[in-house]
Amino acid sequence: MRMSQKPQETARSKCPGCEEPAESGDRFCGACGYDLSAVSVPPRDRPTNALAVSAAEGGPDAENRPDTRVRSDAEGGSEDFELAAPGTASAPDAPAGSGLPAAPAAEASVPCPAPPVPDPRTRLDGPLATPPAGTKLCVACRAGRVDTDGYCQNCGHAQPRERDHMEQELGSVAAVSDRGLRHHRNEDSFAVSTTALPDGSPAVIAIVCDGVSSASRPDEASAAAANAANEALLESLPRGIHPQQAMHDAIVAASKSVNALAGNMEHDPHRHQNAPACTLVGAITAGDLLVVGWVGDSRAYWVPDDRSVPPARLTEDDSWAAQMVATGLMSEAEAYADDRAHAITGWLGADAYEVEPHTGSFKPDRPGLVVVCTDGLWNYAESAVEMAAAVPADARARPLHGAQVLVGHALDGGGHDNVTVALLPFAVAPQGAGSGCGTP
């Protein structure tokens, strides 16, 4: 019995710039903007009858002449044509009595060369040379205007998006987010801020969100969640709400903000759509208190200044792997080696189960640093020890530089995902020996 075979799909051509599949009829690559019209199209497999030229007609060296066939793509065609060999008539004689001289045979057989196309980057006049005020110029050709879709009108090059790489430093807190090396856009977002408690002491906030790629508009979800949580904390902390309760309420506010995006989705009957979704992790430093909160698999770590003291992970993932470990069905090594390890069981979004914000409160007994990050970083420094080893020794004094180094660590490791990290220095006077992070 012969087993049936699934017919293979016709392979689509790939972009020479990024090797993304290109749709038929595309002029530019949708991923990188490569000019696909510049890619030579292989000729159709159809024979061309050679024009026989005798030695008497073409001279004794006719057999040694170069092939004079040309391809005409006018009107979208790809028909092969023959030009007569030099010295043979290829244009009809002028009609008798027309008064027009007959076209010279030798000249008629030589095609006129096409005029050279000027490089728009060298033009001194015209619309490309003096774009209107506020118009963005292409970062590739430096001549074309950038269209509203983010592509150059001249060369088709995709322009860097504003969120491809973001950095912010605010006093003693800093954050860096990068698109990574494999994704076409950055679906992470963050918010950092400072405020004052009722007694006038400072409170520092960092929120990091990771858009769920399998959902619709994940970049919008992460931005909405980060902004909503940050605004909620800036409103509640100065009113004297306990930081742990404030963090819980901020996550609920972030969840409502992401849920609202689902109501603004345009229905497309030809495309399966999931509600926008993201994960969230946040940290607050207020006096001698460190509070963290999260939903999903983004994490927070504690790294003490004294590297002889063990670091600690402050969050537990809402993921398949974490469930397997918590129930004792698999060891941590076995669970995270499974293909299902990173399947999340908790997230913010309209199609999520009932959101249960996780919060924790700690009182570190020594100075250190809080690392708040997405899995784009901790995939390359999973354990607390590995994360502490990746954090520069001077990161508490230079948080922006430390965040830049950690993003670079992820990119050097492969950059398979968007990478976002925020660093919050925590300064307390040493109060004796103890664990790097203690609970109230």
Side-chain angles (χ1 to χ4, degrees):
M1 178 177 65
R2 188 176 66 176
M3 300 183 64
S4 62
Q5 294 182 347
K6 181 179 179 180
Q8 296 182 350
E9 297 181 358
T10 303
R12 292 184 294 174
S13 60
K14 294 184 178 180
C15 169
C18 64
E19 295 190 352
E20 284 293 313
E23 298 292 343
S24 177
D26 283 353
R27 294 184 57 194
F28 300 103
C29 175
C32 70
Y34 192 95
D35 186 358
L36 299 177
S37 64
V39 180
S40 60
V41 180
R44 296 181 183 176
D45 185 16
R46 55 189 305 178
T48 300
N49 295 325
L51 178 64
V53 180
S54 66
E57 294 174 327
D61 59 344
E63 295 180 354
N64 298 325
R65 292 187 182 129
D67 189 357
T68 55
R69 284 177 292 169
V70 296
R71 179 168 297 278
S72 172
D73 294 324
E75 302 294 331
S78 60
E79 187 70 30
D80 287 325
F81 293 92
E82 296 290 344
L83 287 183
T88 62
S90 59
D93 292 337
S98 65
L100 298 176
E107 294 181 0
S109 63
V110 180
C112 296
V117 178
D119 186 341
R121 291 169 288 186
T122 63
R123 292 181 60 176
L124 301 179
D125 59 355
L128 296 180
T130 56
T135 300
K136 292 183 178 180
L137 286 180
C138 174
V139 299
C141 69
R142 301 304 302 169
R145 303 174 190 173
V146 178
D147 209 343
T148 54
D149 61 358
Y151 291 86
C152 175
Q153 294 178 346
N154 175 49
C155 69
H157 191 91
Q159 305 301 296
R161 297 178 176 89
E162 182 180 357
R163 287 177 59 172
D164 281 358
H165 185 88
M166 302 179 290
E167 298 185 1
Q168 186 177 1
E169 185 175 30
L170 186 64
S172 60
V173 61
V176 177
S177 181
D178 193 90
R179 184 184 67 177
L181 304 179
R182 301 297 181 89
H183 279 235
H184 294 153
R185 63 179 175 181
N186 190 358
E187 297 169 355
D188 289 356
S189 192
F190 68 81
V192 294
S193 59
T194 61
T195 188
L197 301 177
D199 62 1
S201 61
V204 184
I205 302 166
I207 304 293
V208 168
C209 296
D210 185 354
V212 178
S213 296
S214 60
S216 301
R217 296 153 59 191
D219 53 334
E220 296 181 35
S222 63
N227 292 333
N230 184 60
E231 291 174 2
L233 290 171
L234 290 176
E235 190 275 333
S236 60
L237 290 174
R239 293 193 294 110
I241 305 298
H242 189 278
Q244 189 166 358
Q245 181 63 48
M247 177 63 78
H248 178 279
D249 297 343
I251 296 176
V252 173
S255 176
K256 293 179 179 179
S257 180
V258 178
N259 291 350
L261 295 177
N264 300 327
M265 293 176 60
E266 294 183 3
H267 177 66
D268 186 349
H270 303 291
R271 181 180 180 184
H272 177 72
Q273 292 179 309
N274 294 326
C278 69
T279 67
L280 182 149
V281 62
I284 306 170
T285 59
D288 63 348
L289 195 64
L290 165 61
V291 172
V292 296
W294 73 97
V295 173
D297 63 348
S298 293
R299 295 180 176 180
Y301 294 82
W302 166 256
V303 179
D305 274 3
D306 183 358
R307 297 302 174 90
S308 65
V309 176
R313 174 150 65 96
L314 307 179
T315 58
E316 291 293 336
D317 299 342
D318 288 322
S319 69
W320 180 90
Q323 282 191 349
M324 294 298 101
V325 175
T327 55
L329 296 177
M330 301 177 75
S331 68
E332 186 170 3
E334 292 172 337
Y336 280 98
D338 195 283
D339 292 338
R340 298 164 289 182
H342 290 277
I344 58 175
T345 57
W347 62 89
L348 305 181
D351 59 354
Y353 301 109
E354 183 178 356
V355 175
E356 299 180 3
H358 310 293
T359 60
S361 182
F362 307 87
K363 287 189 175 181
D365 59 0
R366 65 193 69 238
L369 188 74
V370 185
V371 179
V372 184
C373 65
T374 62
D375 61 346
L377 172 59
W378 67 254
N379 278 331
Y380 302 98
E382 187 169 334
S383 69
V385 173
E386 291 172 325
M387 183 63 72
V391 173
D394 62 348
R396 191 165 70 87
R398 303 171 61 197
L400 179 59
H401 175 260
Q404 292 168 337
V405 170
L406 288 174
V407 169
H409 177 78
L411 298 180
D412 291 342
H416 289 266
D417 200 354
N418 305 145
V419 189
T420 302
V421 57
L423 298 185
L424 285 80
F426 194 97
V428 296
Q431 299 178 0
S435 63
C437 193
T439 54

